[in-house]
Amino acid sequence: MNYHIITYGCQMNEHDSEKIAGMLESMGYQETDDHAGADIIVFNTCLIRKNAELKVFGKVGSLKQLKEDNPEMIIAVGGCMMQQKGPVDELYQKYPQVDIIFGTHNIHKLPSLINQVKHGEERVIDVWEEDKGLIPDLPSKRRNKFQAWVTIIQGCDNYCSYCIVPHVRGSERSRPLEDIVDEVKKLVADGVIDITLLGQNVNSYGLDLDDDYDFPDLLSELAKINGLEKIKYMTSHPKDLSDKLIKTVARNDNISKHFHLPVQSGSSRILKAMNRKYDREHYLGLINKIRDNIPDAVITTDFIVGFPGETESDFEKTLSLVEKVRFDMAYTFAYSPREGTPAAKKADQISSEEKHRRLQALMDKQNQISYEVNQELIGKEIDVLVEGESKKDPDYFSARSDGNKLVIIPAKTKKLIGNIITAKINEAGSWTLYGDIVNN
Ligand code: 5AD
Ligand code: SF4
Protein backbone atom coordinates (compact mmCIF):
# COMPACT_ATOMS: atom_id res chain seq x y z
CA MET A 1 0.00 0.00 0.00
CA ASN A 2 1.37 3.38 -1.05
CA TYR A 3 0.78 6.96 0.01
CA HIS A 4 1.55 10.27 -1.61
CA ILE A 5 1.41 13.62 0.23
CA ILE A 6 1.11 16.97 -1.54
CA THR A 7 2.08 19.89 0.68
CA TYR A 8 1.44 23.60 0.10
CA GLY A 9 2.59 26.55 2.18
CA CYS A 10 4.99 27.14 5.03
CA GLN A 11 7.39 25.03 7.10
CA MET A 12 4.69 24.42 9.69
CA ASN A 13 2.76 22.57 7.00
CA GLU A 14 5.89 20.73 5.84
CA HIS A 15 6.39 19.60 9.40
CA ASP A 16 2.73 18.52 9.75
CA SER A 17 3.21 16.50 6.56
CA GLU A 18 6.18 14.73 8.18
CA LYS A 19 3.84 13.76 11.02
CA ILE A 20 1.17 12.59 8.57
CA ALA A 21 3.85 10.51 6.80
CA GLY A 22 4.91 9.05 10.17
CA MET A 23 1.32 8.00 10.93
CA LEU A 24 0.73 6.50 7.49
CA GLU A 25 3.95 4.48 7.73
CA SER A 26 2.92 3.11 11.09
CA MET A 27 -0.30 1.99 9.39
CA GLY A 28 1.81 0.05 6.88
CA TYR A 29 1.77 2.48 3.95
CA GLN A 30 4.92 3.31 1.99
CA GLU A 31 5.75 6.59 0.32
CA THR A 32 5.54 6.88 -3.47
CA ASP A 33 6.48 9.78 -5.74
CA ASP A 34 3.88 8.73 -8.25
CA HIS A 35 0.46 9.93 -7.15
CA ALA A 36 -1.29 7.82 -9.82
CA GLY A 37 0.01 4.66 -8.18
CA ALA A 38 -0.95 5.70 -4.65
CA ASP A 39 -3.63 4.02 -2.54
CA ILE A 40 -4.03 7.21 -0.55
CA ILE A 41 -3.31 10.80 -1.55
CA VAL A 42 -3.20 13.41 1.21
CA PHE A 43 -3.34 17.15 0.52
CA ASN A 44 -1.94 19.47 3.17
CA THR A 45 -3.34 22.83 2.12
CA CYS A 46 -2.56 26.53 2.59
CA LEU A 47 -4.76 29.58 2.22
CA ILE A 48 -2.41 32.47 2.92
CA ARG A 49 -2.98 33.84 -0.59
CA LYS A 50 -5.67 33.15 -3.18
CA ASN A 51 -3.13 31.44 -5.46
CA ALA A 52 -2.44 28.77 -2.87
CA GLU A 53 -6.16 27.95 -2.73
CA LEU A 54 -6.56 27.87 -6.50
CA LYS A 55 -3.70 25.41 -6.79
CA VAL A 56 -5.42 23.01 -4.38
CA PHE A 57 -8.76 23.11 -6.19
CA GLY A 58 -6.94 22.66 -9.52
CA LYS A 59 -4.95 19.67 -8.33
CA VAL A 60 -7.86 17.96 -6.53
CA GLY A 61 -9.98 18.56 -9.64
CA SER A 62 -7.38 16.88 -11.83
CA LEU A 63 -7.72 13.64 -9.82
CA LYS A 64 -11.37 13.06 -10.78
CA GLN A 65 -10.66 10.58 -13.56
CA LEU A 66 -8.05 8.73 -11.52
CA LYS A 67 -10.57 8.21 -8.73
CA GLU A 68 -13.24 7.04 -11.19
CA ASP A 69 -10.82 4.48 -12.61
CA ASN A 70 -9.74 3.39 -9.14
CA PRO A 71 -12.61 3.92 -6.67
CA GLU A 72 -10.61 2.22 -3.89
CA MET A 73 -8.13 5.08 -3.87
CA ILE A 74 -8.61 7.37 -0.84
CA ILE A 75 -8.26 11.14 -1.24
CA ALA A 76 -7.89 13.11 1.99
CA VAL A 77 -7.64 16.90 2.23
CA GLY A 78 -6.36 18.63 5.38
CA GLY A 79 -4.48 21.76 6.39
CA CYS A 80 -5.31 25.43 6.94
CA MET A 81 -7.78 25.74 4.07
CA MET A 82 -9.98 23.14 5.74
CA GLN A 83 -10.30 25.33 8.84
CA GLN A 84 -12.64 27.57 6.85
CA LYS A 85 -16.23 26.78 6.03
CA GLY A 86 -16.20 28.18 2.47
CA PRO A 87 -13.49 25.92 1.02
CA VAL A 88 -14.80 22.88 2.95
CA ASP A 89 -18.32 23.34 1.54
CA GLU A 90 -16.98 23.85 -1.96
CA LEU A 91 -14.76 20.75 -1.81
CA TYR A 92 -17.53 18.63 -0.35
CA GLN A 93 -20.17 19.71 -2.82
CA LYS A 94 -18.20 20.03 -6.05
CA TYR A 95 -15.45 17.43 -5.64
CA PRO A 96 -17.05 14.02 -4.94
CA GLN A 97 -13.62 12.39 -5.38
CA VAL A 98 -12.64 13.69 -1.91
CA ASP A 99 -13.21 11.03 0.78
CA ILE A 100 -11.83 12.72 3.89
CA ILE A 101 -11.67 16.34 5.04
CA PHE A 102 -9.72 17.04 8.24
CA GLY A 103 -8.30 20.14 9.93
CA THR A 104 -5.01 21.36 11.39
CA HIS A 105 -6.05 20.66 14.99
CA ASN A 106 -6.81 16.97 14.55
CA ILE A 107 -4.21 15.55 12.18
CA HIS A 108 -3.68 12.77 14.74
CA LYS A 109 -7.16 11.48 13.86
CA LEU A 110 -6.28 10.80 10.22
CA PRO A 111 -5.63 7.05 10.75
CA SER A 112 -9.07 6.54 12.31
CA LEU A 113 -10.72 8.61 9.56
CA ILE A 114 -8.99 6.42 6.96
CA ASN A 115 -10.24 3.32 8.73
CA GLN A 116 -13.78 4.70 8.77
CA VAL A 117 -13.67 5.13 4.99
CA LYS A 118 -12.11 1.72 4.49
CA HIS A 119 -14.89 0.16 6.54
CA GLY A 120 -17.60 1.49 4.36
CA GLU A 121 -18.27 5.05 5.42
CA GLU A 122 -18.79 7.10 2.28
CA ARG A 123 -17.18 10.40 3.08
CA VAL A 124 -16.04 11.91 6.38
CA ILE A 125 -15.54 15.50 7.45
CA ASP A 126 -13.84 16.08 10.80
CA VAL A 127 -12.55 19.60 11.45
CA TRP A 128 -11.99 20.98 14.94
CA GLU A 129 -12.13 24.69 15.71
CA GLU A 130 -9.37 24.41 18.28
CA ASP A 131 -6.85 21.80 19.34
CA LYS A 132 -8.59 20.98 22.68
CA GLY A 133 -5.11 20.52 24.17
CA LEU A 134 -5.18 16.96 23.01
CA ILE A 135 -2.68 16.71 20.20
CA PRO A 136 -0.29 13.92 21.10
CA ASP A 137 3.38 14.00 20.10
CA LEU A 138 3.41 12.31 16.74
CA PRO A 139 6.45 10.56 15.31
CA SER A 140 7.69 12.40 12.22
CA LYS A 141 9.15 10.92 9.11
CA ARG A 142 12.12 13.30 8.82
CA ARG A 143 13.44 14.46 5.45
CA ASN A 144 16.90 13.25 6.52
CA LYS A 145 18.83 11.87 9.50
CA PHE A 146 20.60 15.07 10.47
CA GLN A 147 17.97 17.83 10.31
CA ALA A 148 14.66 18.24 12.09
CA TRP A 149 11.89 20.75 12.64
CA VAL A 150 10.60 21.28 16.15
CA THR A 151 7.39 23.19 16.84
CA ILE A 152 7.71 25.48 19.87
CA ILE A 153 4.57 27.60 19.60
CA GLN A 154 1.34 27.13 17.67
CA GLY A 155 -1.06 29.81 16.49
CA CYS A 156 -0.80 33.58 16.36
CA ASP A 157 -2.34 36.43 18.38
CA ASN A 158 -1.18 39.30 16.23
CA TYR A 159 -4.07 39.72 13.85
CA CYS A 160 -2.22 41.61 11.17
CA SER A 161 -5.11 43.06 9.21
CA TYR A 162 -4.31 41.19 5.96
CA CYS A 163 -3.60 37.80 7.48
CA ILE A 164 -5.82 34.76 7.73
CA VAL A 165 -3.46 32.70 9.91
CA PRO A 166 -4.83 33.67 13.36
CA HIS A 167 -8.31 32.83 12.07
CA VAL A 168 -7.33 29.29 11.11
CA ARG A 169 -4.43 28.34 13.38
CA GLY A 170 -5.94 29.68 16.60
CA SER A 171 -4.37 31.64 19.45
CA GLU A 172 -0.80 31.25 20.69
CA ARG A 173 -0.01 28.07 22.60
CA SER A 174 3.59 27.50 23.66
CA ARG A 175 4.93 24.06 24.43
CA PRO A 176 6.54 23.68 27.85
CA LEU A 177 10.30 24.25 27.74
CA GLU A 178 11.12 20.85 29.23
CA ASP A 179 9.13 19.07 26.50
CA ILE A 180 11.04 20.89 23.79
CA VAL A 181 14.43 20.28 25.41
CA ASP A 182 13.55 16.57 25.79
CA GLU A 183 12.47 16.29 22.17
CA VAL A 184 15.64 17.99 20.93
CA LYS A 185 17.86 15.78 23.11
CA LYS A 186 16.17 12.69 21.66
CA LEU A 187 16.66 14.02 18.14
CA VAL A 188 20.36 14.70 18.79
CA ALA A 189 20.77 11.18 20.22
CA ASP A 190 19.23 9.99 16.96
CA GLY A 191 21.85 11.80 14.84
CA VAL A 192 20.30 15.25 14.32
CA ILE A 193 22.81 18.12 14.33
CA ASP A 194 20.66 20.92 12.88
CA ILE A 195 17.22 21.92 14.15
CA THR A 196 14.77 24.60 13.09
CA LEU A 197 12.38 25.84 15.77
CA LEU A 198 9.00 26.64 14.30
CA GLY A 199 6.29 29.11 15.23
CA GLN A 200 4.26 31.84 13.55
CA ASN A 201 5.92 34.21 15.99
CA VAL A 202 8.71 32.53 17.92
CA ASN A 203 9.44 35.76 19.80
CA SER A 204 6.26 35.45 21.82
CA TYR A 205 7.27 31.96 22.95
CA GLY A 206 6.46 31.43 26.63
CA LEU A 207 4.36 34.56 27.12
CA ASP A 208 1.17 32.48 27.36
CA LEU A 209 2.65 30.10 29.96
CA ASP A 210 2.70 30.56 33.75
CA ASP A 211 6.41 29.81 33.95
CA ASP A 212 8.84 32.67 33.78
CA TYR A 213 10.83 31.93 30.66
CA ASP A 214 10.95 33.40 27.18
CA PHE A 215 12.36 32.61 23.73
CA PRO A 216 15.98 33.63 24.49
CA ASP A 217 15.86 31.40 27.60
CA LEU A 218 14.74 28.49 25.45
CA LEU A 219 17.54 29.16 22.96
CA SER A 220 20.13 29.31 25.77
CA GLU A 221 18.92 25.96 27.12
CA LEU A 222 19.05 24.32 23.71
CA ALA A 223 22.47 25.81 22.92
CA LYS A 224 23.92 23.77 25.84
CA ILE A 225 22.98 20.43 24.27
CA ASN A 226 26.13 18.55 23.29
CA GLY A 227 26.25 17.56 19.65
CA LEU A 228 23.64 20.09 18.54
CA GLU A 229 25.62 22.07 16.00
CA LYS A 230 23.03 24.47 14.63
CA ILE A 231 19.82 25.98 15.98
CA LYS A 232 17.69 27.96 13.55
CA TYR A 233 14.23 29.41 14.06
CA MET A 234 11.43 31.11 12.23
CA THR A 235 9.56 33.43 12.15
CA SER A 236 10.39 36.52 14.23
CA HIS A 237 8.00 39.44 14.56
CA PRO A 238 9.84 42.80 14.61
CA LYS A 239 7.64 44.14 17.41
CA ASP A 240 8.82 41.42 19.79
CA LEU A 241 12.48 40.99 18.90
CA SER A 242 14.29 41.82 22.12
CA ASP A 243 17.83 42.98 22.97
CA LYS A 244 18.07 39.80 25.04
CA LEU A 245 17.51 37.73 21.90
CA ILE A 246 20.19 39.58 19.95
CA LYS A 247 22.68 39.11 22.81
CA THR A 248 21.77 35.41 23.14
CA VAL A 249 22.33 34.84 19.43
CA ALA A 250 25.60 36.78 19.50
CA ARG A 251 26.90 34.78 22.49
CA ASN A 252 26.25 31.25 21.21
CA ASP A 253 28.19 29.82 18.27
CA ASN A 254 25.59 27.14 17.59
CA ILE A 255 22.69 29.59 17.18
CA SER A 256 22.22 30.69 13.58
CA LYS A 257 23.07 34.31 12.79
CA HIS A 258 20.16 34.46 10.38
CA PHE A 259 17.32 36.86 11.18
CA HIS A 260 14.20 36.41 9.09
CA LEU A 261 12.37 39.55 10.09
CA PRO A 262 9.30 40.21 7.94
CA VAL A 263 8.86 43.98 7.56
CA GLN A 264 5.93 43.90 5.06
CA SER A 265 6.18 47.61 4.16
CA GLY A 266 8.57 50.55 4.42
CA SER A 267 5.77 53.03 5.08
CA SER A 268 4.78 53.67 8.71
CA ARG A 269 1.30 54.65 7.56
CA ILE A 270 0.78 51.29 5.87
CA LEU A 271 2.37 49.41 8.78
CA LYS A 272 -0.22 51.00 11.04
CA ALA A 273 -3.04 50.00 8.69
CA MET A 274 -1.58 46.48 8.65
CA ASN A 275 -1.71 46.42 12.48
CA ARG A 276 1.95 45.51 12.65
CA LYS A 277 2.54 47.51 15.88
CA TYR A 278 5.94 48.94 14.85
CA ASP A 279 6.97 51.69 12.45
CA ARG A 280 9.73 52.19 9.91
CA GLU A 281 12.05 53.84 12.45
CA HIS A 282 11.66 51.02 14.97
CA TYR A 283 12.47 48.49 12.25
CA LEU A 284 15.55 50.37 11.05
CA GLY A 285 16.67 50.69 14.69
CA LEU A 286 16.40 46.92 15.10
CA ILE A 287 18.50 46.30 12.01
CA ASN A 288 21.21 48.61 13.36
CA LYS A 289 21.16 46.86 16.72
CA ILE A 290 21.49 43.45 15.07
CA ARG A 291 24.38 44.59 12.89
CA ASP A 292 26.16 46.37 15.78
CA ASN A 293 26.12 43.14 17.79
CA ILE A 294 26.46 40.62 14.96
CA PRO A 295 28.28 42.18 12.02
CA ASP A 296 27.96 39.10 9.79
CA ALA A 297 24.22 38.59 10.46
CA VAL A 298 22.19 37.51 7.44
CA ILE A 299 18.94 39.47 7.35
CA THR A 300 15.97 38.45 5.21
CA THR A 301 12.41 39.67 5.10
CA ASP A 302 8.90 39.46 3.62
CA PHE A 303 7.10 42.28 1.79
CA ILE A 304 3.50 42.75 0.75
CA VAL A 305 2.92 45.30 -2.02
CA GLY A 306 -0.41 46.79 -2.98
CA PHE A 307 -2.00 46.70 0.47
CA PRO A 308 -5.33 48.62 0.28
CA GLY A 309 -4.67 52.36 0.18
CA GLU A 310 -0.93 52.01 -0.57
CA THR A 311 0.02 55.11 -2.56
CA GLU A 312 2.96 55.53 -4.89
CA SER A 313 4.68 57.47 -2.12
CA ASP A 314 4.13 54.60 0.37
CA PHE A 315 5.56 52.18 -2.17
CA GLU A 316 8.61 54.40 -2.67
CA LYS A 317 9.21 54.18 1.07
CA THR A 318 9.31 50.40 0.68
CA LEU A 319 11.88 50.74 -2.11
CA SER A 320 13.97 53.14 -0.03
CA LEU A 321 13.85 50.78 2.96
CA VAL A 322 15.20 48.01 0.73
CA GLU A 323 18.09 50.27 -0.25
CA LYS A 324 18.78 51.31 3.32
CA VAL A 325 18.74 47.85 4.87
CA ARG A 326 20.28 45.92 1.95
CA PHE A 327 18.58 42.64 2.85
CA ASP A 328 20.32 39.43 1.85
CA MET A 329 17.04 38.20 0.43
CA ALA A 330 13.33 39.01 0.48
CA TYR A 331 10.12 37.13 -0.22
CA THR A 332 7.82 39.51 -2.06
CA PHE A 333 4.06 39.12 -2.39
CA ALA A 334 1.21 40.99 -4.04
CA TYR A 335 -1.51 41.66 -1.48
CA SER A 336 -4.23 39.02 -1.72
CA PRO A 337 -7.58 39.81 -0.02
CA ARG A 338 -8.56 37.01 2.38
CA GLU A 339 -12.19 36.71 3.35
CA GLY A 340 -12.75 37.35 7.03
CA THR A 341 -9.79 39.72 7.47
CA PRO A 342 -10.29 43.48 8.03
CA ALA A 343 -8.11 44.52 5.07
CA ALA A 344 -10.26 42.56 2.62
CA LYS A 345 -13.21 44.78 3.49
CA LYS A 346 -11.39 48.04 2.70
CA ALA A 347 -12.74 50.06 -0.18
CA ASP A 348 -9.43 51.33 -1.55
CA GLN A 349 -8.15 48.07 -3.07
CA ILE A 350 -5.29 48.40 -5.56
CA SER A 351 -5.76 47.04 -9.08
CA SER A 352 -4.09 43.79 -9.97
CA GLU A 353 -2.00 45.47 -12.72
CA GLU A 354 -0.68 48.06 -10.29
CA LYS A 355 0.12 45.44 -7.65
CA HIS A 356 2.09 43.46 -10.19
CA ARG A 357 3.94 46.52 -11.45
CA ARG A 358 5.01 47.31 -7.89
CA LEU A 359 5.90 43.69 -7.23
CA GLN A 360 8.16 43.59 -10.28
CA ALA A 361 9.87 46.88 -9.36
CA LEU A 362 10.50 45.62 -5.83
CA MET A 363 11.81 42.26 -7.02
CA ASP A 364 14.14 43.94 -9.52
CA LYS A 365 15.60 46.15 -6.82
CA GLN A 366 15.99 43.38 -4.25
CA ASN A 367 17.50 40.93 -6.76
CA GLN A 368 20.17 43.47 -7.64
CA ILE A 369 20.96 44.00 -3.95
CA SER A 370 21.00 40.24 -3.23
CA TYR A 371 23.45 39.90 -6.12
CA GLU A 372 25.72 42.64 -4.77
CA VAL A 373 25.59 41.31 -1.20
CA ASN A 374 26.45 37.80 -2.40
CA GLN A 375 29.28 39.05 -4.62
CA GLU A 376 30.96 40.32 -1.47
CA LEU A 377 31.29 36.70 -0.33
CA ILE A 378 33.50 35.72 -3.27
CA GLY A 379 36.90 34.60 -1.98
CA LYS A 380 35.57 34.12 1.55
CA GLU A 381 35.51 30.83 3.44
CA ILE A 382 32.19 29.97 5.10
CA ASP A 383 30.83 26.98 7.01
CA VAL A 384 28.06 25.07 5.28
CA LEU A 385 25.95 22.03 6.10
CA VAL A 386 25.99 19.58 3.19
CA GLU A 387 22.36 18.56 2.65
CA GLY A 388 22.55 16.17 -0.30
CA GLU A 389 22.78 15.88 -4.07
CA SER A 390 21.96 19.03 -5.99
CA LYS A 391 18.57 18.73 -7.70
CA LYS A 392 19.97 20.05 -10.95
CA ASP A 393 23.20 18.06 -11.26
CA PRO A 394 24.24 14.91 -9.34
CA ASP A 395 27.90 15.90 -9.74
CA TYR A 396 27.23 18.63 -7.18
CA PHE A 397 25.97 18.76 -3.62
CA SER A 398 23.75 21.45 -2.23
CA ALA A 399 24.69 22.91 1.10
CA ARG A 400 23.37 25.69 3.33
CA SER A 401 25.30 28.42 5.04
CA ASP A 402 24.56 29.54 8.59
CA GLY A 403 22.40 32.26 7.05
CA ASN A 404 20.52 29.63 5.02
CA LYS A 405 22.09 30.58 1.68
CA LEU A 406 22.20 27.83 -0.90
CA VAL A 407 25.80 26.90 -1.69
CA ILE A 408 26.59 24.46 -4.52
CA ILE A 409 29.81 22.47 -4.07
CA PRO A 410 31.41 19.58 -5.99
CA ALA A 411 30.06 16.17 -4.96
CA LYS A 412 33.38 14.84 -3.70
CA THR A 413 32.29 12.01 -1.42
CA LYS A 414 28.93 10.99 0.02
CA LYS A 415 30.56 11.02 3.46
CA LEU A 416 30.23 14.81 3.44
CA ILE A 417 26.42 14.66 3.48
CA GLY A 418 25.12 15.59 6.91
CA ASN A 419 28.32 17.35 7.97
CA ILE A 420 29.29 20.97 8.38
CA ILE A 421 32.32 21.74 6.22
CA THR A 422 34.16 24.84 5.05
CA ALA A 423 33.59 26.09 1.50
CA LYS A 424 35.42 28.83 -0.36
CA ILE A 425 33.01 30.86 -2.45
CA ASN A 426 34.11 31.41 -6.04
CA GLU A 427 30.94 32.49 -7.79
CA ALA A 428 27.72 34.17 -6.65
CA GLY A 429 24.31 35.00 -8.10
CA SER A 430 21.24 36.57 -6.47
CA TRP A 431 19.99 33.22 -5.18
CA THR A 432 22.87 30.77 -5.23
CA LEU A 433 26.53 30.67 -4.25
CA TYR A 434 29.08 28.30 -5.77
CA GLY A 435 32.11 27.12 -3.85
CA ASP A 436 34.97 24.70 -3.48
CA ILE A 437 35.54 22.45 -0.51
CA VAL A 438 38.37 23.54 1.79
CA ASN A 439 40.49 20.88 3.57
CA ASN A 440 37.82 18.24 4.11
N1 5AD B 1 -1.52 38.67 0.88
C1 5AD B 1 -0.23 38.62 0.50
N2 5AD B 1 0.76 38.17 1.28
C2 5AD B 1 0.42 37.75 2.52
N3 5AD B 1 1.19 37.27 3.54
C3 5AD B 1 0.37 36.98 4.57
N4 5AD B 1 -0.90 37.27 4.25
C4 5AD B 1 -0.89 37.77 2.98
C5 5AD B 1 -1.90 38.26 2.11
N5 5AD B 1 -3.18 38.32 2.49
C6 5AD B 1 2.64 37.15 3.46
C7 5AD B 1 3.33 38.00 4.53
C8 5AD B 1 3.83 36.96 5.50
C9 5AD B 1 4.11 35.79 4.57
C10 5AD B 1 4.23 34.48 5.23
O1 5AD B 1 3.01 35.80 3.70
O2 5AD B 1 4.40 38.67 3.93
O3 5AD B 1 4.99 37.38 6.20
FE1 SF4 C 1 -0.11 36.48 10.06
FE2 SF4 C 1 0.86 38.64 11.32
FE3 SF4 C 1 0.51 36.32 12.67
FE4 SF4 C 1 2.46 36.51 10.85
S1 SF4 C 1 2.31 37.71 12.75
S2 SF4 C 1 0.98 34.79 11.07
S3 SF4 C 1 1.54 37.84 9.30
S4 SF4 C 1 -1.09 37.60 11.77
Side-chain angles (χ1 to χ4, degrees), residues 156 158-160 162-163 165-166 200 237 276:
C156 180
N158 290 315
Y159 289 92
C160 301
Y162 51 80
C163 187
V165 169
Q200 243 77 43
H237 194 302
R276 291 291 288 177

PDB file of all heavy atoms in Angstrom, residues 156 158-160 162-163 165-166 200 237 276, ligand 2:
ATOM      1  N   CYS A 156      -1.277  32.199  16.421  1.00  0.00           N
ATOM      2  CA  CYS A 156      -0.796  33.584  16.363  1.00  0.00           C
ATOM      3  C   CYS A 156      -1.861  34.518  16.925  1.00  0.00           C
ATOM      4  O   CYS A 156      -3.041  34.360  16.631  1.00  0.00           O
ATOM      5  CB  CYS A 156      -0.483  33.957  14.916  1.00  0.00           C
ATOM      6  SG  CYS A 156       0.102  35.651  14.781  1.00  0.00           S
ATOM      7  N   ASN A 158      -1.496  37.934  16.685  1.00  0.00           N
ATOM      8  CA  ASN A 158      -1.177  39.295  16.229  1.00  0.00           C
ATOM      9  C   ASN A 158      -2.249  39.949  15.361  1.00  0.00           C
ATOM     10  O   ASN A 158      -2.341  41.160  15.316  1.00  0.00           O
ATOM     11  CB  ASN A 158       0.158  39.298  15.480  1.00  0.00           C
ATOM     12  CG  ASN A 158       1.298  39.061  16.441  1.00  0.00           C
ATOM     13  OD1 ASN A 158       1.334  39.654  17.512  1.00  0.00           O
ATOM     14  ND2 ASN A 158       2.191  38.156  16.097  1.00  0.00           N
ATOM     15  N   TYR A 159      -2.992  39.165  14.686  1.00  0.00           N
ATOM     16  CA  TYR A 159      -4.069  39.716  13.852  1.00  0.00           C
ATOM     17  C   TYR A 159      -3.605  40.868  12.965  1.00  0.00           C
ATOM     18  O   TYR A 159      -4.183  41.950  12.983  1.00  0.00           O
ATOM     19  CB  TYR A 159      -5.281  40.113  14.710  1.00  0.00           C
ATOM     20  CG  TYR A 159      -6.009  38.901  15.235  1.00  0.00           C
ATOM     21  CD1 TYR A 159      -5.686  38.372  16.478  1.00  0.00           C
ATOM     22  CD2 TYR A 159      -6.958  38.253  14.463  1.00  0.00           C
ATOM     23  CE1 TYR A 159      -6.315  37.218  16.951  1.00  0.00           C
ATOM     24  CE2 TYR A 159      -7.598  37.110  14.925  1.00  0.00           C
ATOM     25  CZ  TYR A 159      -7.278  36.609  16.161  1.00  0.00           C
ATOM     26  OH  TYR A 159      -7.899  35.478  16.621  1.00  0.00           O
ATOM     27  N   CYS A 160      -2.567  40.661  12.216  1.00  0.00           N
ATOM     28  CA  CYS A 160      -2.215  41.612  11.166  1.00  0.00           C
ATOM     29  C   CYS A 160      -3.448  41.687  10.265  1.00  0.00           C
ATOM     30  O   CYS A 160      -4.088  40.663  10.001  1.00  0.00           O
ATOM     31  CB  CYS A 160      -0.998  41.124  10.390  1.00  0.00           C
ATOM     32  SG  CYS A 160       0.426  40.908  11.480  1.00  0.00           S
ATOM     33  N   TYR A 162      -4.204  41.894   7.249  1.00  0.00           N
ATOM     34  CA  TYR A 162      -4.314  41.192   5.962  1.00  0.00           C
ATOM     35  C   TYR A 162      -4.322  39.681   6.128  1.00  0.00           C
ATOM     36  O   TYR A 162      -4.549  38.943   5.175  1.00  0.00           O
ATOM     37  CB  TYR A 162      -3.104  41.555   5.063  1.00  0.00           C
ATOM     38  CG  TYR A 162      -1.782  41.377   5.781  1.00  0.00           C
ATOM     39  CD1 TYR A 162      -1.202  40.129   5.921  1.00  0.00           C
ATOM     40  CD2 TYR A 162      -1.140  42.468   6.374  1.00  0.00           C
ATOM     41  CE1 TYR A 162      -0.027  39.948   6.627  1.00  0.00           C
ATOM     42  CE2 TYR A 162       0.040  42.300   7.089  1.00  0.00           C
ATOM     43  CZ  TYR A 162       0.586  41.044   7.203  1.00  0.00           C
ATOM     44  OH  TYR A 162       1.738  40.866   7.921  1.00  0.00           O
ATOM     45  N   CYS A 163      -4.031  39.196   7.342  1.00  0.00           N
ATOM     46  CA  CYS A 163      -3.595  37.798   7.477  1.00  0.00           C
ATOM     47  C   CYS A 163      -4.696  36.872   7.996  1.00  0.00           C
ATOM     48  O   CYS A 163      -5.368  37.155   8.979  1.00  0.00           O
ATOM     49  CB  CYS A 163      -2.386  37.723   8.406  1.00  0.00           C
ATOM     50  SG  CYS A 163      -1.676  36.073   8.458  1.00  0.00           S
ATOM     51  N   VAL A 165      -4.020  33.741   9.035  1.00  0.00           N
ATOM     52  CA  VAL A 165      -3.457  32.701   9.911  1.00  0.00           C
ATOM     53  C   VAL A 165      -4.102  32.642  11.308  1.00  0.00           C
ATOM     54  O   VAL A 165      -4.509  31.564  11.751  1.00  0.00           O
ATOM     55  CB  VAL A 165      -1.913  32.833  10.013  1.00  0.00           C
ATOM     56  CG1 VAL A 165      -1.347  31.942  11.113  1.00  0.00           C
ATOM     57  CG2 VAL A 165      -1.273  32.473   8.679  1.00  0.00           C
ATOM     58  N   PRO A 166      -4.227  33.781  12.021  1.00  0.00           N
ATOM     59  CA  PRO A 166      -4.827  33.671  13.365  1.00  0.00           C
ATOM     60  C   PRO A 166      -6.244  33.121  13.315  1.00  0.00           C
ATOM     61  O   PRO A 166      -6.704  32.498  14.279  1.00  0.00           O
ATOM     62  CB  PRO A 166      -4.832  35.114  13.873  1.00  0.00           C
ATOM     63  CG  PRO A 166      -3.804  35.815  13.055  1.00  0.00           C
ATOM     64  CD  PRO A 166      -3.839  35.155  11.703  1.00  0.00           C
ATOM     65  N   GLN A 200       4.660  30.667  14.342  1.00  0.00           N
ATOM     66  CA  GLN A 200       4.261  31.839  13.547  1.00  0.00           C
ATOM     67  C   GLN A 200       4.962  33.082  14.070  1.00  0.00           C
ATOM     68  O   GLN A 200       5.294  33.982  13.340  1.00  0.00           O
ATOM     69  CB  GLN A 200       2.744  32.036  13.636  1.00  0.00           C
ATOM     70  CG  GLN A 200       2.053  31.896  12.308  1.00  0.00           C
ATOM     71  CD  GLN A 200       1.920  30.443  11.901  1.00  0.00           C
ATOM     72  OE1 GLN A 200       1.583  29.606  12.719  1.00  0.00           O
ATOM     73  NE2 GLN A 200       2.184  30.151  10.653  1.00  0.00           N
ATOM     74  N   HIS A 237       8.779  38.220  14.819  1.00  0.00           N
ATOM     75  CA  HIS A 237       8.001  39.444  14.561  1.00  0.00           C
ATOM     76  C   HIS A 237       8.823  40.637  15.051  1.00  0.00           C
ATOM     77  O   HIS A 237       9.282  40.633  16.198  1.00  0.00           O
ATOM     78  CB  HIS A 237       6.676  39.366  15.306  1.00  0.00           C
ATOM     79  CG  HIS A 237       5.679  40.378  14.852  1.00  0.00           C
ATOM     80  ND1 HIS A 237       5.937  41.732  14.893  1.00  0.00           N
ATOM     81  CD2 HIS A 237       4.443  40.262  14.326  1.00  0.00           C
ATOM     82  CE1 HIS A 237       4.882  42.392  14.425  1.00  0.00           C
ATOM     83  NE2 HIS A 237       3.968  41.508  14.064  1.00  0.00           N
ATOM     84  N   ARG A 276       0.694  46.190  12.361  1.00  0.00           N
ATOM     85  CA  ARG A 276       1.953  45.509  12.649  1.00  0.00           C
ATOM     86  C   ARG A 276       2.561  45.949  13.984  1.00  0.00           C
ATOM     87  O   ARG A 276       3.520  45.343  14.479  1.00  0.00           O
ATOM     88  CB  ARG A 276       2.966  45.757  11.507  1.00  0.00           C
ATOM     89  CG  ARG A 276       2.596  45.069  10.218  1.00  0.00           C
ATOM     90  CD  ARG A 276       2.730  43.576  10.310  1.00  0.00           C
ATOM     91  NE  ARG A 276       4.121  43.127  10.340  1.00  0.00           N
ATOM     92  CZ  ARG A 276       4.491  41.850  10.480  1.00  0.00           C
ATOM     93  NH1 ARG A 276       3.586  40.911  10.638  1.00  0.00           N
ATOM     94  NH2 ARG A 276       5.766  41.523  10.482  1.00  0.00           N
TER      95      ARG A 276
HETATM   96 FE1  SF4 B   2      -0.109  36.478  10.057  1.00  0.00          FE
HETATM   97 FE2  SF4 B   2       0.855  38.636  11.321  1.00  0.00          FE
HETATM   98 FE3  SF4 B   2       0.506  36.318  12.671  1.00  0.00          FE
HETATM   99 FE4  SF4 B   2       2.455  36.506  10.845  1.00  0.00          FE
HETATM  100  S1  SF4 B   2       2.306  37.706  12.748  1.00  0.00           S
HETATM  101  S2  SF4 B   2       0.984  34.790  11.073  1.00  0.00           S
HETATM  102  S3  SF4 B   2       1.540  37.839   9.305  1.00  0.00           S
HETATM  103  S4  SF4 B   2      -1.091  37.596  11.768  1.00  0.00           S
END
